[in-house]
Amino acid sequence: MNVLVNAGPWLAVPPPGYGGIENVVATLVPALRERGVRVVLASVGSSTLEVDELISAYDEGQFPHLQKPYNQVMGIAHAHQARVVAELRARDDIDLVHDHLEVVGPAVLSALAGPPVLHTLHWDLCKHPAFYGAFPQSIAVNGVSESQLARAPAALRDASLGAVHLATPLACQDVRAEPGEHLIVMGRVCHLKGQHVAARICQKLGLPLVLAGPVSGLQTRAELDQVAQDPDHPLHGHPDVRYHLDQVSRYLDGDLVSWIGAVGGQARDDLYASARAALFPIQWDEPGGTAVVEALALGVPPVGLRRGCLPEIIEHGRTGFLTDTEEELAEWVLRVGELDPEECRREARRRFSPSVMAERYLELYETVSRR
């Protein structure tokens, strides 16, 4: 099978730091190629993932432009997708397109008389109600959790072939680190992730907490301070920046609670693997939960609010704790010692390894190809 995987124009694959969809693609593609799938990757020219072919409209990721007004950036995704269409029109050996580009991907591909398409939904499906409410039925989709699909408009559910849970390469590795005392929230700093709740809980309990992740693409404290001190900076009023400054920074005491910015590579794995627990006080119905899967793979018990995909990933009392309120979350944090880290690792290997995700996608590819 020859598959064109459309990752979009925003970040390289794999991304240099934070990058949810691009990390998913970087996890899936090697497992597909191990199973004999030939992959043409549509990304940016700086992508370093080993593939059979790379096509691009841009040399570098266009993510920094997303903060600009819409009339300045609306052509970026379309220029990338025009490159994909040109490739599909110029050749007849692509058996299937696996698309990951939000809205623009299925909108353009549905108008093209080309190979069959599977479009993966990575985001909140309450967005784009007019588009999703009349979704083109020539495009098949899959979600990244059943709870995500349950909230989808009827037209989108009709086009769905089901859910494929996210995976992590950490599930088939044995990454260990010296145990520490800290708890951790790993991921983009924004209100939806609930870092302020985790900080409030840990200050009350007297437990050290590390917040790791970028703020609106800002990787370090120096970068954030520069934005905070310049009212004319285009990111000064960004919701994620305001959230950090107004709701998170009050808890950063230099003692119990710290924000270390973005961290990647081995340093990230060591920081994560050495945590006592990973906290997920999410303030929305999380669709995918990559950080939860990574915590399990590293043997770090997840403790979170019972929302979104978390009940599909975490088995309460065996591989983590789930609750409904901040007060109960604080109580369960004190009981993480009752959970077996090895059980978390076993669950990750069984359910969230790249091979499991690849086999599931191969099933969907076959289904789409027969339609």
Short mmCIF file of all heavy atoms in Angstrom, two decimals, residues 146-207:
data_model
loop_
_atom_site.label_atom_id
_atom_site.label_comp_id
_atom_site.label_asym_id
_atom_site.label_seq_id
_atom_site.Cartn_x
_atom_site.Cartn_y
_atom_site.Cartn_z
N GLU A 146 -13.52 7.49 21.85
CA GLU A 146 -14.97 7.33 21.69
C GLU A 146 -15.72 8.52 22.28
O GLU A 146 -16.75 8.93 21.76
CB GLU A 146 -15.42 6.03 22.36
CG GLU A 146 -14.86 4.76 21.73
CD GLU A 146 -15.34 4.52 20.31
OE1 GLU A 146 -16.30 5.20 19.88
OE2 GLU A 146 -14.76 3.66 19.63
N SER A 147 -15.21 9.08 23.37
CA SER A 147 -15.88 10.22 23.98
C SER A 147 -15.85 11.42 23.05
O SER A 147 -16.81 12.21 23.01
CB SER A 147 -15.23 10.58 25.32
OG SER A 147 -13.90 11.04 25.14
N GLN A 148 -14.79 11.59 22.30
CA GLN A 148 -14.72 12.67 21.32
C GLN A 148 -15.81 12.51 20.26
O GLN A 148 -16.54 13.45 19.94
CB GLN A 148 -13.33 12.67 20.66
CG GLN A 148 -13.17 13.70 19.55
CD GLN A 148 -12.02 13.34 18.61
OE1 GLN A 148 -11.75 12.17 18.35
NE2 GLN A 148 -11.36 14.36 18.09
N LEU A 149 -15.95 11.30 19.72
CA LEU A 149 -16.94 11.05 18.67
C LEU A 149 -18.36 11.18 19.19
O LEU A 149 -19.27 11.56 18.46
CB LEU A 149 -16.72 9.67 18.06
CG LEU A 149 -15.43 9.49 17.25
CD1 LEU A 149 -15.27 8.04 16.84
CD2 LEU A 149 -15.43 10.40 16.03
N ALA A 150 -18.55 10.85 20.47
CA ALA A 150 -19.89 10.93 21.04
C ALA A 150 -20.42 12.36 21.06
O ALA A 150 -21.63 12.57 21.08
CB ALA A 150 -19.89 10.36 22.46
N ARG A 151 -19.52 13.33 21.03
CA ARG A 151 -19.93 14.75 21.05
C ARG A 151 -19.97 15.36 19.66
O ARG A 151 -20.22 16.55 19.52
CB ARG A 151 -18.96 15.55 21.94
CG ARG A 151 -18.96 15.13 23.41
CD ARG A 151 -18.08 16.04 24.25
NE ARG A 151 -16.70 16.04 23.80
CZ ARG A 151 -15.80 15.14 24.16
NH1 ARG A 151 -16.15 14.15 24.97
NH2 ARG A 151 -14.56 15.20 23.73
N ALA A 152 -19.72 14.55 18.64
CA ALA A 152 -19.65 15.06 17.27
C ALA A 152 -21.04 15.28 16.70
O ALA A 152 -22.00 14.59 17.07
CB ALA A 152 -18.88 14.07 16.39
N PRO A 153 -21.18 16.21 15.76
CA PRO A 153 -22.45 16.36 15.04
C PRO A 153 -22.81 15.07 14.30
O PRO A 153 -21.93 14.26 13.95
CB PRO A 153 -22.16 17.50 14.06
CG PRO A 153 -21.01 18.24 14.64
CD PRO A 153 -20.19 17.22 15.35
N ALA A 154 -24.09 14.89 14.03
CA ALA A 154 -24.56 13.64 13.43
C ALA A 154 -23.89 13.34 12.10
O ALA A 154 -23.52 12.19 11.82
CB ALA A 154 -26.08 13.70 13.25
N ALA A 155 -23.69 14.36 11.26
CA ALA A 155 -23.08 14.13 9.95
C ALA A 155 -21.65 13.61 10.08
O ALA A 155 -21.20 12.78 9.28
CB ALA A 155 -23.09 15.42 9.13
N LEU A 156 -20.95 14.08 11.10
CA LEU A 156 -19.58 13.62 11.32
C LEU A 156 -19.57 12.20 11.87
O LEU A 156 -18.73 11.38 11.47
CB LEU A 156 -18.87 14.58 12.29
CG LEU A 156 -17.35 14.62 12.25
CD1 LEU A 156 -16.83 14.88 10.85
CD2 LEU A 156 -16.84 15.68 13.21
N ARG A 157 -20.49 11.90 12.76
CA ARG A 157 -20.58 10.52 13.27
C ARG A 157 -20.93 9.55 12.15
O ARG A 157 -20.44 8.42 12.11
CB ARG A 157 -21.62 10.43 14.39
CG ARG A 157 -21.21 11.12 15.68
CD ARG A 157 -22.03 10.62 16.86
NE ARG A 157 -23.46 10.77 16.65
CZ ARG A 157 -24.15 11.87 16.96
NH1 ARG A 157 -23.53 12.92 17.48
NH2 ARG A 157 -25.45 11.93 16.74
N ASP A 158 -21.76 9.98 11.21
CA ASP A 158 -22.13 9.12 10.09
C ASP A 158 -20.92 8.78 9.22
O ASP A 158 -20.88 7.71 8.59
CB ASP A 158 -23.20 9.79 9.23
CG ASP A 158 -24.56 9.86 9.93
OD1 ASP A 158 -24.75 9.11 10.92
OD2 ASP A 158 -25.40 10.66 9.50
N ALA A 159 -19.96 9.68 9.17
CA ALA A 159 -18.76 9.47 8.35
C ALA A 159 -17.67 8.71 9.11
O ALA A 159 -16.64 8.35 8.53
CB ALA A 159 -18.20 10.81 7.87
N SER A 160 -17.90 8.45 10.39
CA SER A 160 -16.85 7.90 11.25
C SER A 160 -16.75 6.37 11.16
O SER A 160 -17.76 5.67 11.11
CB SER A 160 -17.10 8.30 12.70
OG SER A 160 -16.20 7.63 13.56
N LEU A 161 -15.50 5.90 11.20
CA LEU A 161 -15.23 4.46 11.26
C LEU A 161 -14.84 4.03 12.68
O LEU A 161 -14.44 2.88 12.87
CB LEU A 161 -14.10 4.11 10.29
CG LEU A 161 -14.36 4.42 8.82
CD1 LEU A 161 -13.16 4.02 7.97
CD2 LEU A 161 -15.62 3.74 8.31
N GLY A 162 -14.93 4.94 13.63
CA GLY A 162 -14.59 4.60 15.01
C GLY A 162 -13.39 5.39 15.49
O GLY A 162 -12.92 6.32 14.84
N ALA A 163 -12.88 4.99 16.64
CA ALA A 163 -11.78 5.71 17.29
C ALA A 163 -10.50 4.87 17.27
O ALA A 163 -10.55 3.64 17.34
CB ALA A 163 -12.14 6.06 18.72
N VAL A 164 -9.37 5.56 17.18
CA VAL A 164 -8.06 4.94 17.33
C VAL A 164 -7.33 5.72 18.40
O VAL A 164 -7.01 6.90 18.22
CB VAL A 164 -7.25 4.97 16.01
CG1 VAL A 164 -5.91 4.27 16.22
CG2 VAL A 164 -8.03 4.33 14.88
N HIS A 165 -7.07 5.08 19.53
CA HIS A 165 -6.37 5.77 20.61
C HIS A 165 -4.94 6.12 20.20
O HIS A 165 -4.31 5.41 19.41
CB HIS A 165 -6.34 4.91 21.87
CG HIS A 165 -7.65 4.84 22.58
ND1 HIS A 165 -8.23 3.67 22.99
CD2 HIS A 165 -8.52 5.82 22.94
CE1 HIS A 165 -9.39 3.91 23.58
NE2 HIS A 165 -9.59 5.21 23.55
N LEU A 166 -4.45 7.22 20.74
CA LEU A 166 -3.09 7.66 20.47
C LEU A 166 -2.09 6.71 21.11
O LEU A 166 -2.41 5.98 22.05
CB LEU A 166 -2.89 9.08 20.99
CG LEU A 166 -3.85 10.13 20.40
CD1 LEU A 166 -3.58 11.49 21.01
CD2 LEU A 166 -3.73 10.19 18.89
N ALA A 167 -0.89 6.74 20.58
CA ALA A 167 0.16 5.83 21.06
C ALA A 167 1.42 6.64 21.36
O ALA A 167 1.52 7.83 21.03
CB ALA A 167 0.46 4.76 20.01
N THR A 168 2.40 5.99 21.96
CA THR A 168 3.68 6.62 22.24
C THR A 168 4.81 5.61 22.07
O THR A 168 4.67 4.45 22.49
CB THR A 168 3.73 7.20 23.67
OG1 THR A 168 5.06 7.67 23.94
CG2 THR A 168 3.34 6.17 24.72
N PRO A 169 5.92 6.01 21.46
CA PRO A 169 7.08 5.10 21.38
C PRO A 169 7.60 4.69 22.74
O PRO A 169 8.26 3.65 22.87
CB PRO A 169 8.12 5.93 20.62
CG PRO A 169 7.34 6.97 19.89
CD PRO A 169 6.15 7.27 20.76
N LEU A 170 7.32 5.50 23.77
CA LEU A 170 7.77 5.17 25.12
C LEU A 170 7.18 3.86 25.62
O LEU A 170 7.73 3.22 26.52
CB LEU A 170 7.40 6.30 26.08
CG LEU A 170 8.08 7.65 25.84
CD1 LEU A 170 7.45 8.73 26.71
CD2 LEU A 170 9.57 7.55 26.10
N ALA A 171 6.05 3.44 25.02
CA ALA A 171 5.40 2.22 25.48
C ALA A 171 6.22 0.97 25.18
O ALA A 171 6.03 -0.05 25.84
CB ALA A 171 4.01 2.10 24.84
N CYS A 172 7.09 1.04 24.17
CA CYS A 172 7.91 -0.13 23.86
C CYS A 172 9.37 0.10 24.22
O CYS A 172 10.27 -0.60 23.75
CB CYS A 172 7.76 -0.53 22.39
SG CYS A 172 7.99 0.83 21.23
N GLN A 173 9.62 1.08 25.06
CA GLN A 173 10.95 1.34 25.60
C GLN A 173 10.89 1.11 27.11
O GLN A 173 9.83 0.91 27.68
CB GLN A 173 11.40 2.76 25.28
CG GLN A 173 11.43 3.09 23.80
CD GLN A 173 11.62 4.56 23.52
OE1 GLN A 173 11.94 5.35 24.41
NE2 GLN A 173 11.40 4.95 22.27
N ASP A 174 12.02 1.12 27.74
CA ASP A 174 12.06 0.96 29.19
C ASP A 174 12.79 2.15 29.79
O ASP A 174 13.93 2.05 30.25
CB ASP A 174 12.74 -0.35 29.58
CG ASP A 174 12.58 -0.67 31.06
OD1 ASP A 174 11.68 -0.10 31.70
OD2 ASP A 174 13.37 -1.49 31.58
N VAL A 175 12.12 3.29 29.75
CA VAL A 175 12.71 4.54 30.24
C VAL A 175 12.47 4.65 31.73
O VAL A 175 11.32 4.64 32.19
CB VAL A 175 12.11 5.75 29.50
CG1 VAL A 175 12.69 7.05 30.04
CG2 VAL A 175 12.35 5.63 28.01
N ARG A 176 13.54 4.74 32.46
CA ARG A 176 13.43 4.88 33.92
C ARG A 176 14.36 6.00 34.38
O ARG A 176 15.35 6.31 33.73
CB ARG A 176 13.79 3.57 34.63
CG ARG A 176 12.81 2.44 34.27
CD ARG A 176 13.27 1.10 34.81
NE ARG A 176 12.41 0.03 34.32
CZ ARG A 176 11.37 -0.46 34.97
NH1 ARG A 176 11.06 0.03 36.17
NH2 ARG A 176 10.65 -1.43 34.46
N ALA A 177 14.03 6.59 35.52
CA ALA A 177 14.85 7.67 36.08
C ALA A 177 14.81 7.55 37.60
O ALA A 177 13.94 6.89 38.17
CB ALA A 177 14.31 9.02 35.63
N GLU A 178 15.78 8.18 38.22
CA GLU A 178 15.80 8.20 39.67
C GLU A 178 14.52 8.83 40.20
O GLU A 178 14.14 9.91 39.76
CB GLU A 178 17.01 8.99 40.18
CG GLU A 178 18.34 8.28 40.02
CD GLU A 178 18.41 7.02 40.86
OE1 GLU A 178 17.93 7.04 42.02
OE2 GLU A 178 18.93 6.00 40.37
N PRO A 179 13.82 8.14 41.09
CA PRO A 179 12.53 8.69 41.57
C PRO A 179 12.71 10.01 42.30
O PRO A 179 13.64 10.18 43.09
CB PRO A 179 12.02 7.59 42.51
CG PRO A 179 13.22 6.80 42.89
CD PRO A 179 14.15 6.86 41.73
N GLY A 180 11.83 10.95 42.02
CA GLY A 180 11.85 12.23 42.69
C GLY A 180 10.61 12.40 43.55
O GLY A 180 9.75 11.52 43.61
N GLU A 181 10.49 13.54 44.17
CA GLU A 181 9.34 13.82 45.03
C GLU A 181 8.27 14.65 44.31
O GLU A 181 7.16 14.80 44.81
CB GLU A 181 9.80 14.57 46.28
CG GLU A 181 10.64 13.74 47.24
CD GLU A 181 9.86 12.52 47.74
OE1 GLU A 181 8.68 12.67 48.11
OE2 GLU A 181 10.44 11.42 47.75
N HIS A 182 8.61 15.17 43.13
CA HIS A 182 7.73 16.13 42.48
C HIS A 182 6.56 15.46 41.77
O HIS A 182 6.64 14.32 41.33
CB HIS A 182 8.51 16.98 41.48
CG HIS A 182 9.06 16.19 40.32
ND1 HIS A 182 10.20 15.43 40.43
CD2 HIS A 182 8.62 16.05 39.04
CE1 HIS A 182 10.46 14.85 39.27
NE2 HIS A 182 9.51 15.21 38.40
N LEU A 183 5.48 16.20 41.66
CA LEU A 183 4.39 15.87 40.75
C LEU A 183 4.56 16.74 39.51
O LEU A 183 5.32 17.71 39.53
CB LEU A 183 3.03 16.11 41.41
CG LEU A 183 2.71 15.17 42.59
CD1 LEU A 183 3.16 15.79 43.90
CD2 LEU A 183 1.23 14.88 42.65
N ILE A 184 3.85 16.40 38.44
CA ILE A 184 4.10 17.11 37.20
C ILE A 184 2.82 17.30 36.41
O ILE A 184 1.92 16.46 36.45
CB ILE A 184 5.15 16.35 36.35
CG1 ILE A 184 5.67 17.23 35.21
CG2 ILE A 184 4.59 15.04 35.81
CD1 ILE A 184 6.93 16.71 34.56
N VAL A 185 2.74 18.44 35.71
CA VAL A 185 1.76 18.65 34.65
C VAL A 185 2.56 18.91 33.39
O VAL A 185 3.31 19.89 33.32
CB VAL A 185 0.81 19.83 34.93
CG1 VAL A 185 -0.16 20.01 33.76
CG2 VAL A 185 0.04 19.61 36.22
N MET A 186 2.44 18.03 32.41
CA MET A 186 3.21 18.13 31.18
C MET A 186 2.28 18.53 30.04
O MET A 186 1.26 17.87 29.81
CB MET A 186 3.87 16.78 30.88
CG MET A 186 4.75 16.77 29.63
SD MET A 186 6.30 17.70 29.85
CE MET A 186 7.21 16.57 30.93
N GLY A 187 2.63 19.59 29.33
CA GLY A 187 1.82 19.99 28.18
C GLY A 187 1.70 21.49 28.06
O GLY A 187 2.15 22.25 28.93
N ARG A 188 1.08 21.92 26.99
CA ARG A 188 0.89 23.35 26.73
C ARG A 188 0.18 24.01 27.90
O ARG A 188 -0.82 23.50 28.41
CB ARG A 188 0.06 23.51 25.45
CG ARG A 188 -0.24 24.94 25.06
CD ARG A 188 -0.81 25.00 23.66
NE ARG A 188 -2.14 24.40 23.59
CZ ARG A 188 -3.28 25.10 23.65
NH1 ARG A 188 -3.24 26.41 23.81
NH2 ARG A 188 -4.44 24.49 23.54
N VAL A 189 0.70 25.14 28.34
CA VAL A 189 0.10 25.87 29.45
C VAL A 189 -1.08 26.67 28.93
O VAL A 189 -0.93 27.63 28.17
CB VAL A 189 1.13 26.79 30.13
CG1 VAL A 189 0.47 27.57 31.27
CG2 VAL A 189 2.31 25.98 30.65
N CYS A 190 -2.27 26.26 29.32
CA CYS A 190 -3.49 26.96 28.93
C CYS A 190 -4.59 26.56 29.90
O CYS A 190 -4.48 25.57 30.62
CB CYS A 190 -3.89 26.62 27.49
SG CYS A 190 -4.31 24.88 27.23
N HIS A 191 -5.66 27.32 29.90
CA HIS A 191 -6.74 27.09 30.86
C HIS A 191 -7.32 25.69 30.73
O HIS A 191 -7.71 25.08 31.74
CB HIS A 191 -7.83 28.14 30.69
CG HIS A 191 -8.91 28.06 31.72
ND1 HIS A 191 -10.04 27.30 31.57
CD2 HIS A 191 -9.01 28.63 32.96
CE1 HIS A 191 -10.80 27.39 32.64
NE2 HIS A 191 -10.20 28.20 33.51
N LEU A 192 -7.39 25.17 29.52
CA LEU A 192 -7.99 23.85 29.31
C LEU A 192 -7.24 22.75 30.06
O LEU A 192 -7.85 21.76 30.47
CB LEU A 192 -8.02 23.51 27.82
CG LEU A 192 -8.83 24.44 26.93
CD1 LEU A 192 -8.71 24.01 25.48
CD2 LEU A 192 -10.29 24.46 27.35
N LYS A 193 -5.93 22.92 30.24
CA LYS A 193 -5.12 21.89 30.92
C LYS A 193 -5.20 22.01 32.44
O LYS A 193 -4.83 21.08 33.15
CB LYS A 193 -3.66 21.99 30.48
CG LYS A 193 -3.45 21.86 28.97
CD LYS A 193 -3.80 20.47 28.47
CE LYS A 193 -3.46 20.32 26.99
NZ LYS A 193 -3.82 19.00 26.45
N GLY A 194 -5.62 23.16 32.94
CA GLY A 194 -5.87 23.31 34.37
C GLY A 194 -4.64 23.39 35.25
O GLY A 194 -4.68 22.96 36.41
N GLN A 195 -3.56 24.00 34.74
CA GLN A 195 -2.35 24.10 35.58
C GLN A 195 -2.61 24.87 36.87
O GLN A 195 -2.00 24.57 37.91
CB GLN A 195 -1.22 24.79 34.80
CG GLN A 195 -0.49 23.89 33.82
CD GLN A 195 -1.09 23.89 32.43
OE1 GLN A 195 -2.17 24.45 32.22
NE2 GLN A 195 -0.41 23.28 31.47
N HIS A 196 -3.53 25.84 36.83
CA HIS A 196 -3.81 26.61 38.05
C HIS A 196 -4.44 25.73 39.13
O HIS A 196 -4.18 25.92 40.33
CB HIS A 196 -4.73 27.79 37.73
CG HIS A 196 -6.11 27.41 37.31
ND1 HIS A 196 -6.38 26.76 36.12
CD2 HIS A 196 -7.32 27.58 37.92
CE1 HIS A 196 -7.68 26.54 36.01
NE2 HIS A 196 -8.28 27.04 37.09
N VAL A 197 -5.23 24.74 38.73
CA VAL A 197 -5.84 23.82 39.69
C VAL A 197 -4.77 22.95 40.33
O VAL A 197 -4.73 22.76 41.55
CB VAL A 197 -6.92 22.96 39.01
CG1 VAL A 197 -7.48 21.93 40.00
CG2 VAL A 197 -8.03 23.84 38.46
N ALA A 198 -3.88 22.41 39.51
CA ALA A 198 -2.79 21.58 40.03
C ALA A 198 -1.92 22.38 40.99
O ALA A 198 -1.53 21.87 42.06
CB ALA A 198 -1.95 21.04 38.88
N ALA A 199 -1.62 23.62 40.64
CA ALA A 199 -0.79 24.46 41.49
C ALA A 199 -1.48 24.74 42.82
O ALA A 199 -0.85 24.69 43.89
CB ALA A 199 -0.45 25.76 40.77
N ARG A 200 -2.75 25.02 42.77
CA ARG A 200 -3.51 25.30 43.99
C ARG A 200 -3.53 24.08 44.91
O ARG A 200 -3.33 24.18 46.13
CB ARG A 200 -4.92 25.73 43.63
CG ARG A 200 -5.75 26.25 44.78
CD ARG A 200 -6.90 27.09 44.28
NE ARG A 200 -7.74 26.36 43.33
CZ ARG A 200 -8.24 26.91 42.22
NH1 ARG A 200 -7.99 28.17 41.91
NH2 ARG A 200 -9.03 26.21 41.42
N ILE A 201 -3.74 22.92 44.33
CA ILE A 201 -3.77 21.68 45.12
C ILE A 201 -2.42 21.42 45.77
O ILE A 201 -2.34 21.12 46.97
CB ILE A 201 -4.18 20.50 44.22
CG1 ILE A 201 -5.66 20.57 43.88
CG2 ILE A 201 -3.85 19.16 44.89
CD1 ILE A 201 -6.10 19.54 42.86
N CYS A 202 -1.36 21.53 45.01
CA CYS A 202 -0.04 21.20 45.54
C CYS A 202 0.43 22.19 46.59
O CYS A 202 1.12 21.81 47.55
CB CYS A 202 0.97 21.09 44.40
SG CYS A 202 0.75 19.59 43.41
N GLN A 203 0.04 23.46 46.46
CA GLN A 203 0.38 24.41 47.52
C GLN A 203 -0.36 24.08 48.80
O GLN A 203 0.20 24.15 49.90
CB GLN A 203 0.07 25.84 47.07
CG GLN A 203 1.17 26.44 46.21
CD GLN A 203 1.21 27.94 46.30
OE1 GLN A 203 0.25 28.59 46.71
NE2 GLN A 203 2.34 28.52 45.92
N LYS A 204 -1.62 23.68 48.69
CA LYS A 204 -2.39 23.30 49.88
C LYS A 204 -1.80 22.08 50.56
O LYS A 204 -1.75 21.99 51.79
CB LYS A 204 -3.84 23.03 49.49
CG LYS A 204 -4.66 24.27 49.16
CD LYS A 204 -6.08 23.87 48.79
CE LYS A 204 -6.92 25.09 48.44
NZ LYS A 204 -8.31 24.72 48.04
N LEU A 205 -1.35 21.12 49.74
CA LEU A 205 -0.84 19.86 50.28
C LEU A 205 0.64 19.94 50.66
O LEU A 205 1.16 19.02 51.30
CB LEU A 205 -1.04 18.73 49.27
CG LEU A 205 -2.48 18.40 48.89
CD1 LEU A 205 -2.50 17.30 47.84
CD2 LEU A 205 -3.28 17.97 50.12
N GLY A 206 1.31 21.00 50.25
CA GLY A 206 2.74 21.11 50.52
C GLY A 206 3.58 20.15 49.69
O GLY A 206 4.63 19.68 50.15
N LEU A 207 3.15 19.87 48.45
CA LEU A 207 3.84 18.94 47.57
C LEU A 207 4.49 19.70 46.41
O LEU A 207 3.87 20.60 45.84
CB LEU A 207 2.88 17.90 47.01
CG LEU A 207 2.20 16.97 48.03
CD1 LEU A 207 1.17 16.09 47.34
CD2 LEU A 207 3.25 16.12 48.73
#
